[in-house]
Amino acid sequence: MRRMTPAAAAVAALAFAGPAPGEPREPPAPQRHRIIFDTDFGMIPQDDAYALMLALHSPELEILGITTVAGNWSIEQGTADVLRFLEIAERRDLPVYAGADMPLVHEPDEYARTTYGSWWSDAPPTPPPGGFAEKKAEALGAVQFIVDTVEQNPGAVTLLAIGPLTNVAMALRQAPGLAAKVKRLVIMGGAVAVLPDGAGNMTPAAEFNFWVDPEAARIVLRSGIPIELSPLNVSRKAAMTRAWFEKLVAADTPFTRLIRELDGPRYAEDPERVVFMYDQIAVASLIDPTLVTTTELYVDVDTNPGVSYGAALGFDRIWPGAEGARKMAVQYDLDWERFIRMFIERVTRPIPARPASQR
Ligand code: RIB
Ligand code: CA
């Protein structure tokens, strides 16, 4: 049998399902999503913080709770940062649940410690801007919060997961049958080689979130929850340049002041700087699915120790070794102009007046 070139495979994968490339998706019926926001949070300039800004200013999303997971930073740092962030955003009313401090199996090695991310760190957290928050995390842990919330609202809760999938996998393991009660799961993770722009960013084939916890990613992708995957293939269509950054910080709000202070110097130092907007795409696609183009693929994750550890693999059919993989919607293209205009318009909205108890 002749092997397909990557380009031919991409075309074949795109041909069998979903709208043709560039063809817009049907506008969805307007709906309000009740979401759990699962994040390896880090203060601006981290993409998780930008993604949360977008979510907080989107009336289509009702955030039931924020769950933290070790990834970009340690669990202590990520949790400290999101608590402070919510004070800056005047959203002290939103509960935060601290989650997994380590992946299910993956032990940090020299490569993990020196390449990117501090999920393995046990250093005490450094104070976020303005100091540590007065707001505290809830006593309940993230995994229990996910289980309880989904159990109490079967078919009504969407999980938005923009970090390693440790919390979600632990919830699924703890509560058999939970997967059938989750309405939908939108994941930022993976890089799918069969589609264009499918290289990894942590290793040649593996994307960071999946690489940090490949075993969790495999459990979650195989769970049967209806999944929309937002992999690096689509993130790479969303490059924030200085010109767009200037438009973002032209407004004067608490968010844009924070962005100017924490991200502005990096653009000043390097005017050619380009930053991919990973987690923001996952949020935006939930708000408006017509912003992205998807195709249906079976996607699985390599958990074998070795050169491909943590790599996502997608294909139009089950292949040997991937028995048990599920089909899901995989994003591979983006209406960049419409996305970035929506992102800037929402992030620069004034923070709405709220009752004192919620600020
Ligand atoms: O690979 C990109 C992902 O890794 C994003 O979620 C980013 O926040 C990091 O966690
Ligand atoms: Ca993230």
Side-chain angles (χ1 to χ4, degrees):
M1 196 179 113
R2 274 215 346 242
R3 284 190 156 192
M4 279 193 283
T5 64
V11 171
L14 298 178
F16 75 92
E23 188 178 299
R25 293 162 107 182
E26 282 296 303
Q31 55 177 315
R32 188 165 158 84
H33 304 277
R34 306 181 74 199
I35 68 165
I36 295 176
F37 193 98
D38 188 68
T39 170
D40 56 336
F41 197 84
M43 191 54 81
I44 298 287
Q46 197 74 55
D47 57 334
D48 296 68
Y50 278 112
L52 185 52
M53 282 182 179
L54 175 60
L56 290 175
H57 281 194
S58 293
E60 298 85 351
L61 306 181
E62 179 190 351
I63 303 177
L64 304 175
I66 296 172
T67 51
T68 55
V69 64
N72 287 308
W73 303 95
S74 70
I75 194 68
E76 286 81 12
Q77 186 69 61
T79 306
D81 280 2
V82 78
L83 290 167
R84 177 68 193 129
F85 180 88
L86 290 172
E87 288 187 348
I88 296 168
E90 300 189 11
R91 289 304 306 267
R92 284 179 177 78
D93 59 306
L94 279 180
V96 172
Y97 304 86
D101 61 355
M102 285 293 270
L104 297 182
V105 176
H106 194 171
E107 295 282 345
D109 58 9
E110 187 60 13
Y111 189 77
R113 291 176 189 277
T114 53
T115 305
Y116 174 76
S118 304
W119 48 277
W120 41 266
S121 174
D122 55 9
T126 55
F132 288 111
E134 287 171 18
K135 178 176 167 59
K136 303 287 178 226
E138 306 298 310
L140 192 69
V143 173
Q144 194 62 50
F145 172 71
I146 293 170
V147 171
D148 292 351
T149 308
V150 172
E151 296 277 12
Q152 287 158 18
N153 302 278
V157 177
T158 293
L159 305 179
L160 176 77
I162 56 175
L165 288 163
T166 322
N167 289 339
V168 182
M170 288 172 77
L172 293 172
R173 286 211 302 208
Q174 181 176 314
L178 195 76
K181 298 178 185 153
V182 176
K183 183 178 179 194
R184 201 153 161 247
L185 171 58
V186 179
I187 298 171
M188 191 286 129
V192 180
V194 76
L195 299 172
D197 280 333
N201 60 359
M202 196 60 197
T203 71
E207 177 278 334
F208 178 79
N209 289 338
F210 280 16
W211 182 81
V212 171
D213 199 338
E215 288 76 12
R218 189 166 190 263
I219 290 169
V220 173
L221 263 52
R222 287 175 166 230
S223 67
I225 300 173
I227 291 177
E228 176 137 343
L229 191 66
S230 186
L232 292 180
N233 308 70
V234 72
S235 320
R236 291 189 170 115
K237 307 284 193 277
M240 177 67 120
T241 58
R242 186 171 181 208
W244 286 108
F245 183 80
E246 295 296 345
K247 291 190 210 304
L248 178 62
V249 295
D252 188 37
T253 74
F255 276 167
T256 59
R257 284 197 284 280
L258 191 70
I259 294 169
R260 231 180 284 136
E261 180 192 335
L262 301 179
D263 214 358
R266 296 171 187 238
Y267 281 94
E269 272 165 30
D270 178 10
E272 302 304 313
R273 181 171 186 251
V274 168
V275 182
F276 292 125
M277 302 172 76
Y278 308 103
D279 297 342
Q280 299 92 320
I281 303 296
V283 174
S285 67
L286 190 51
I287 298 166
D288 181 356
T290 68
L291 290 170
V292 294
T293 314
T294 64
T295 189
E296 294 282 319
L297 293 177
Y298 291 93
V299 182
D300 208 3
V301 181
D302 190 349
T303 55
N304 296 303
V307 290
S308 301
Y309 188 52
L313 296 104
F315 211 30
D316 60 355
R317 69 202 85 116
I318 293 290
W319 64 101
E323 298 83 5
R326 302 289 190 128
K327 229 175 196 183
M328 59 197 67
V330 181
Q331 301 174 1
Y332 65 92
D333 204 0
L334 171 76
D335 186 335
W336 161 254
E337 282 269 333
R338 210 153 57 79
F339 158 73
I340 191 63
R341 288 187 192 286
M342 181 251 244
F343 179 81
I344 291 174
E345 186 275 317
R346 290 188 179 216
V347 167
T348 56
R349 280 180 190 176
I351 291 180
R354 310 182 71 81
S357 60
Q358 292 181 10
R359 278 185 228 137

